[in-house]
Amino acid sequence: MTERIVSGMRSTGKLHLGHYLGVIQNWVKLQKEYESFFFVADWHALTTKYDNTANLKQDVKDVVIDWLACGIDPNISTIYVQSHVPEIAELNIYLSMITPQNWVERDPTLKDMAKILRTKEGANSQVSYGLLGYPVLMSSDIMMFNATAVPVGIDQVAHLEFTRDVARRFNNIYKTEFFKEAKPLLNECSLICGLDGNKMGKSFNNDIKISDTAEETAKKIMTAITDRSRLRKTDLGHPDQCEVAFKYWEIFGTPEQIQKVKTECEQGLRGCADCKRELAAVINEYFAPIREKRRYYEEHPEEVTEIINDGSAKARQEAQKVLKEVRKIVGMY
Ligand code: TRP
Ligand code: SF4
């Protein structure tokens, strides 16, 4: 039997190139080798945004449209929405009971999220019970399908370790071997930084969206940081100190293009503005077919809804099988 993978993304709305290179590209490859479940984690989005849900539904849809555009194939992968599979919430209850309080309290990402929350005004400025339970809910997502592997970025590895600990504890407590231990499937792809050299992120205003037009992309690329010591085109450049633009070249350029940029930059034969204009054209060419496909789904929202509904129904069927076993093992009525 083929191995099963599960992975999800919070519903943060339109995705950026960091999502594409760091996660989605990996999923597109893996879906051909594994039985794949990909979902939008809208409950996880609520852990920090429960007071701002006006765009939640559209955010979920935008995420799925980006996935479809990038090549996640609904004919071979199961695409679903977390909250459409209520079985996950029941499993979350059982797992919450057996998870020690200090395990959730020492979750390293909790501290980062708490820091973000403290910058907000009003009621939503402190850690809620739900946010504290973030890693338990994530364990539920994974264990709901008894997956053996989870393709994620490096930032989620601690959560997977947590999930394995919970699975092991469940098996120990109930003297079973029912739950498998899921291992991370890391992407070997290089991380793309934001236009300002920091981590690419929506809230940092330094991202390029998959859904950006060619014009928007070009305009953003022109703001990318280059070799700061370089003032004139004839100044000898240092590609290794070109903090953003050259790094993008290394991701999107062919080996020949990269070599050419490097040599011309080092010899003072290439101006940064021209260099970035050329880079924008290369990136736009790369994303042209993806953006075309995206436009198609944007114009056919009913197809997207159908994909989500079909996928969620299929996911529920699988989840119900697992939940039936879990209830029995736990000893529920
Ligand atoms: N925590 C993940 C993130 O922030 C999203 C997520 C939720 C997830 N549940 C998951 C990822 C289960 C993999 C498996 O990106
Ligand atoms: Fe960077 Fe290109 Fe400028 Fe060289 S010419 S510093 S590679 S943007």
PDB file of all heavy atoms in Angstrom, residues 221-222 226 230 233 270-280:
ATOM      1  N   ILE A 221       9.995  43.740  -7.515  1.00  0.00           N
ATOM      2  CA  ILE A 221      11.382  43.290  -7.697  1.00  0.00           C
ATOM      3  C   ILE A 221      12.338  44.492  -7.741  1.00  0.00           C
ATOM      4  O   ILE A 221      13.456  44.434  -7.236  1.00  0.00           O
ATOM      5  CB  ILE A 221      11.539  42.458  -8.997  1.00  0.00           C
ATOM      6  CG1 ILE A 221      10.771  41.131  -8.889  1.00  0.00           C
ATOM      7  CG2 ILE A 221      13.018  42.207  -9.321  1.00  0.00           C
ATOM      8  CD1 ILE A 221      11.403  40.074  -8.038  1.00  0.00           C
ATOM      9  N   MET A 222      11.867  45.609  -8.321  1.00  0.00           N
ATOM     10  CA  MET A 222      12.727  46.793  -8.396  1.00  0.00           C
ATOM     11  C   MET A 222      13.084  47.326  -7.012  1.00  0.00           C
ATOM     12  O   MET A 222      14.048  48.063  -6.869  1.00  0.00           O
ATOM     13  CB  MET A 222      12.054  47.901  -9.228  1.00  0.00           C
ATOM     14  CG  MET A 222      11.849  47.566 -10.706  1.00  0.00           C
ATOM     15  SD  MET A 222      13.269  46.819 -11.534  1.00  0.00           S
ATOM     16  CE  MET A 222      14.327  48.242 -11.764  1.00  0.00           C
ATOM     17  N   THR A 226      19.982  45.085  -3.101  1.00  0.00           N
ATOM     18  CA  THR A 226      21.121  44.575  -3.891  1.00  0.00           C
ATOM     19  C   THR A 226      22.392  44.707  -3.060  1.00  0.00           C
ATOM     20  O   THR A 226      22.321  44.798  -1.841  1.00  0.00           O
ATOM     21  CB  THR A 226      21.254  45.366  -5.210  1.00  0.00           C
ATOM     22  OG1 THR A 226      21.519  46.730  -4.891  1.00  0.00           O
ATOM     23  CG2 THR A 226      19.978  45.281  -6.037  1.00  0.00           C
ATOM     24  N   ARG A 230      27.320  49.258  -3.668  1.00  0.00           N
ATOM     25  CA  ARG A 230      27.397  49.622  -5.071  1.00  0.00           C
ATOM     26  C   ARG A 230      26.551  50.849  -5.377  1.00  0.00           C
ATOM     27  O   ARG A 230      25.357  50.852  -5.135  1.00  0.00           O
ATOM     28  CB  ARG A 230      26.835  48.461  -5.884  1.00  0.00           C
ATOM     29  CG  ARG A 230      27.744  48.058  -6.961  1.00  0.00           C
ATOM     30  CD  ARG A 230      27.228  46.889  -7.703  1.00  0.00           C
ATOM     31  NE  ARG A 230      27.774  47.022  -9.034  1.00  0.00           N
ATOM     32  CZ  ARG A 230      27.154  46.654 -10.127  1.00  0.00           C
ATOM     33  NH1 ARG A 230      25.984  46.106 -10.056  1.00  0.00           N
ATOM     34  NH2 ARG A 230      27.739  46.832 -11.280  1.00  0.00           N
ATOM     35  N   LYS A 233      26.768  51.861 -11.832  1.00  0.00           N
ATOM     36  CA  LYS A 233      26.831  50.644 -12.636  1.00  0.00           C
ATOM     37  C   LYS A 233      28.270  50.155 -12.791  1.00  0.00           C
ATOM     38  O   LYS A 233      28.555  48.968 -12.803  1.00  0.00           O
ATOM     39  CB  LYS A 233      26.220  50.945 -14.018  1.00  0.00           C
ATOM     40  CG  LYS A 233      26.326  49.827 -15.008  1.00  0.00           C
ATOM     41  CD  LYS A 233      25.673  50.194 -16.326  1.00  0.00           C
ATOM     42  CE  LYS A 233      26.015  49.160 -17.392  1.00  0.00           C
ATOM     43  NZ  LYS A 233      25.346  49.430 -18.661  1.00  0.00           N
ATOM     44  N   ARG A 270      27.169  45.591 -15.411  1.00  0.00           N
ATOM     45  CA  ARG A 270      25.722  45.367 -15.274  1.00  0.00           C
ATOM     46  C   ARG A 270      25.196  46.279 -14.169  1.00  0.00           C
ATOM     47  O   ARG A 270      25.670  46.258 -13.041  1.00  0.00           O
ATOM     48  CB  ARG A 270      25.512  43.894 -14.933  1.00  0.00           C
ATOM     49  CG  ARG A 270      24.177  43.512 -14.313  1.00  0.00           C
ATOM     50  CD  ARG A 270      24.120  42.022 -14.102  1.00  0.00           C
ATOM     51  NE  ARG A 270      23.968  41.352 -15.382  1.00  0.00           N
ATOM     52  CZ  ARG A 270      22.815  40.890 -15.862  1.00  0.00           C
ATOM     53  NH1 ARG A 270      21.713  40.995 -15.165  1.00  0.00           N
ATOM     54  NH2 ARG A 270      22.749  40.315 -17.023  1.00  0.00           N
ATOM     55  N   GLY A 271      24.228  47.098 -14.510  1.00  0.00           N
ATOM     56  CA  GLY A 271      23.631  47.971 -13.500  1.00  0.00           C
ATOM     57  C   GLY A 271      22.560  47.220 -12.732  1.00  0.00           C
ATOM     58  O   GLY A 271      21.934  46.295 -13.258  1.00  0.00           O
ATOM     59  N   CYS A 272      22.355  47.589 -11.474  1.00  0.00           N
ATOM     60  CA  CYS A 272      21.390  46.868 -10.640  1.00  0.00           C
ATOM     61  C   CYS A 272      19.959  47.016 -11.168  1.00  0.00           C
ATOM     62  O   CYS A 272      19.179  46.076 -11.115  1.00  0.00           O
ATOM     63  CB  CYS A 272      21.475  47.341  -9.196  1.00  0.00           C
ATOM     64  SG  CYS A 272      23.009  46.821  -8.402  1.00  0.00           S
ATOM     65  N   ALA A 273      19.629  48.199 -11.683  1.00  0.00           N
ATOM     66  CA  ALA A 273      18.258  48.389 -12.184  1.00  0.00           C
ATOM     67  C   ALA A 273      17.995  47.468 -13.371  1.00  0.00           C
ATOM     68  O   ALA A 273      16.988  46.763 -13.416  1.00  0.00           O
ATOM     69  CB  ALA A 273      18.031  49.846 -12.561  1.00  0.00           C
ATOM     70  N   ASP A 274      18.945  47.443 -14.309  1.00  0.00           N
ATOM     71  CA  ASP A 274      18.791  46.549 -15.462  1.00  0.00           C
ATOM     72  C   ASP A 274      18.739  45.096 -15.009  1.00  0.00           C
ATOM     73  O   ASP A 274      17.967  44.288 -15.517  1.00  0.00           O
ATOM     74  CB  ASP A 274      19.969  46.718 -16.432  1.00  0.00           C
ATOM     75  CG  ASP A 274      19.877  48.033 -17.195  1.00  0.00           C
ATOM     76  OD1 ASP A 274      18.753  48.580 -17.257  1.00  0.00           O
ATOM     77  OD2 ASP A 274      20.923  48.500 -17.689  1.00  0.00           O
ATOM     78  N   CYS A 275      19.590  44.780 -14.059  1.00  0.00           N
ATOM     79  CA  CYS A 275      19.684  43.412 -13.566  1.00  0.00           C
ATOM     80  C   CYS A 275      18.341  42.971 -12.996  1.00  0.00           C
ATOM     81  O   CYS A 275      17.868  41.862 -13.250  1.00  0.00           O
ATOM     82  CB  CYS A 275      20.773  43.353 -12.497  1.00  0.00           C
ATOM     83  SG  CYS A 275      21.147  41.698 -11.923  1.00  0.00           S
ATOM     84  N   LYS A 276      17.701  43.863 -12.244  1.00  0.00           N
ATOM     85  CA  LYS A 276      16.428  43.502 -11.607  1.00  0.00           C
ATOM     86  C   LYS A 276      15.284  43.465 -12.619  1.00  0.00           C
ATOM     87  O   LYS A 276      14.378  42.664 -12.494  1.00  0.00           O
ATOM     88  CB  LYS A 276      16.133  44.460 -10.449  1.00  0.00           C
ATOM     89  CG  LYS A 276      17.081  44.217  -9.263  1.00  0.00           C
ATOM     90  CD  LYS A 276      16.617  44.859  -7.997  1.00  0.00           C
ATOM     91  CE  LYS A 276      16.940  46.314  -7.951  1.00  0.00           C
ATOM     92  NZ  LYS A 276      16.684  46.892  -6.607  1.00  0.00           N
ATOM     93  N   ARG A 277      15.390  44.336 -13.638  1.00  0.00           N
ATOM     94  CA  ARG A 277      14.365  44.279 -14.691  1.00  0.00           C
ATOM     95  C   ARG A 277      14.401  42.913 -15.378  1.00  0.00           C
ATOM     96  O   ARG A 277      13.379  42.288 -15.615  1.00  0.00           O
ATOM     97  CB  ARG A 277      14.609  45.394 -15.722  1.00  0.00           C
ATOM     98  CG  ARG A 277      13.513  46.476 -15.712  1.00  0.00           C
ATOM     99  CD  ARG A 277      13.654  47.458 -16.862  1.00  0.00           C
ATOM    100  NE  ARG A 277      14.911  48.206 -16.813  1.00  0.00           N
ATOM    101  CZ  ARG A 277      15.094  49.293 -16.038  1.00  0.00           C
ATOM    102  NH1 ARG A 277      14.124  49.745 -15.277  1.00  0.00           N
ATOM    103  NH2 ARG A 277      16.256  49.910 -16.049  1.00  0.00           N
ATOM    104  N   GLU A 278      15.609  42.463 -15.641  1.00  0.00           N
ATOM    105  CA  GLU A 278      15.785  41.163 -16.287  1.00  0.00           C
ATOM    106  C   GLU A 278      15.291  40.037 -15.356  1.00  0.00           C
ATOM    107  O   GLU A 278      14.624  39.099 -15.793  1.00  0.00           O
ATOM    108  CB  GLU A 278      17.272  40.972 -16.569  1.00  0.00           C
ATOM    109  CG  GLU A 278      17.610  40.287 -17.867  1.00  0.00           C
ATOM    110  CD  GLU A 278      19.122  40.174 -18.000  1.00  0.00           C
ATOM    111  OE1 GLU A 278      19.774  41.170 -18.390  1.00  0.00           O
ATOM    112  OE2 GLU A 278      19.654  39.097 -17.682  1.00  0.00           O
ATOM    113  N   LEU A 279      15.625  40.181 -14.105  1.00  0.00           N
ATOM    114  CA  LEU A 279      15.203  39.183 -13.109  1.00  0.00           C
ATOM    115  C   LEU A 279      13.678  39.095 -13.044  1.00  0.00           C
ATOM    116  O   LEU A 279      13.100  38.000 -13.011  1.00  0.00           O
ATOM    117  CB  LEU A 279      15.771  39.569 -11.737  1.00  0.00           C
ATOM    118  CG  LEU A 279      15.276  38.774 -10.524  1.00  0.00           C
ATOM    119  CD1 LEU A 279      15.737  37.317 -10.615  1.00  0.00           C
ATOM    120  CD2 LEU A 279      15.802  39.407  -9.227  1.00  0.00           C
ATOM    121  N   ALA A 280      13.029  40.252 -13.053  1.00  0.00           N
ATOM    122  CA  ALA A 280      11.559  40.267 -12.995  1.00  0.00           C
ATOM    123  C   ALA A 280      10.971  39.521 -14.182  1.00  0.00           C
ATOM    124  O   ALA A 280      10.006  38.767 -14.044  1.00  0.00           O
ATOM    125  CB  ALA A 280      11.055  41.710 -12.953  1.00  0.00           C
TER     126      ALA A 280
END
